[in-house]
Amino acid sequence: FILLFDQASSVEPNGRNSCDKNGESMKEVISEQNLKYSLFQSLKKSCGDISADILEVGIDELTGSVIKSELIESLPLIKIIISLYRTGVGIREALFVKKVISFIGEFNEIDQSKRIKFIDELLLDTKKTETFAETVISLVDKAETSNKTALYGKLFRLHLEFDESYEDILKVCYMVDRSIYSDLKYLQKFSDGSFENPLISEELHRAGFLSNGGIDGGTFDDDGTHSGGIIYLTNKYGKILKNALALCH
């Protein structure tokens, strides 16, 4: 989305887009406000089947007829993304679209009435509108894979379906952004005080999902020496993430 903002904001006063190699004027000026509005409209729509279908196709297919037909018809945000590229959709944009769809698809698991209520309430508060849109835009753009963007969708499901604090969900999203997805997945099988994978536990502690519970000095047992180490415990944010990872699509 940062790329989209850069391109949207590079439209010159005379109507020409400085990113257009031919210097030709765009038919439509895409504003940041349009992008945010299209995000909210897309989150309101029911499009679960299309989301699942798109995530299953390969990049070659995604750059072809699939994107240019029913997907555009269904999601205003995707329509705007595609309209920014006069020569068609490249691999980077196709990957980006997959990440957008994975987030929207997971968000789509929330009951539509709850989604609409959530979005409508956000739109009543300018500051919250800006925070939510910019957070989602930034996180989706920076995510390495669609797995991570789906996780963001699951985190918002916790807020709307299980009443987790909105502020806590935003904080966990930022923490996820700084973490490697495979490390996050490890949290599903982590148990407090486990020494199974100290390196990943240390990374999760650094990211803020585990707390330091003290030092285990180690003991001698039948199998040799138990060297001990830092005792890591799942904290509030770790539990939120664990609950999100457990949600089924």
Side-chain angles (χ1 to χ4, degrees), residues 9-22:
S9 62
S10 64
V11 177
E12 297 172 356
N14 62 5
R16 295 182 182 275
N17 188 321
S18 61
C19 292
D20 189 336
K21 294 180 180 178
N22 298 322

Side-chain angles (χ1 to χ4, degrees), residues 57-77:
V57 303
I59 294 300
D60 290 340
E61 295 175 83
L62 197 59
T63 59
S65 59
V66 177
I67 266 185
K68 296 177 181 178
S69 57
E70 73 266 25
L71 181 55
I72 285 182
E73 299 288 329
S74 299
L75 299 173
L77 180 59

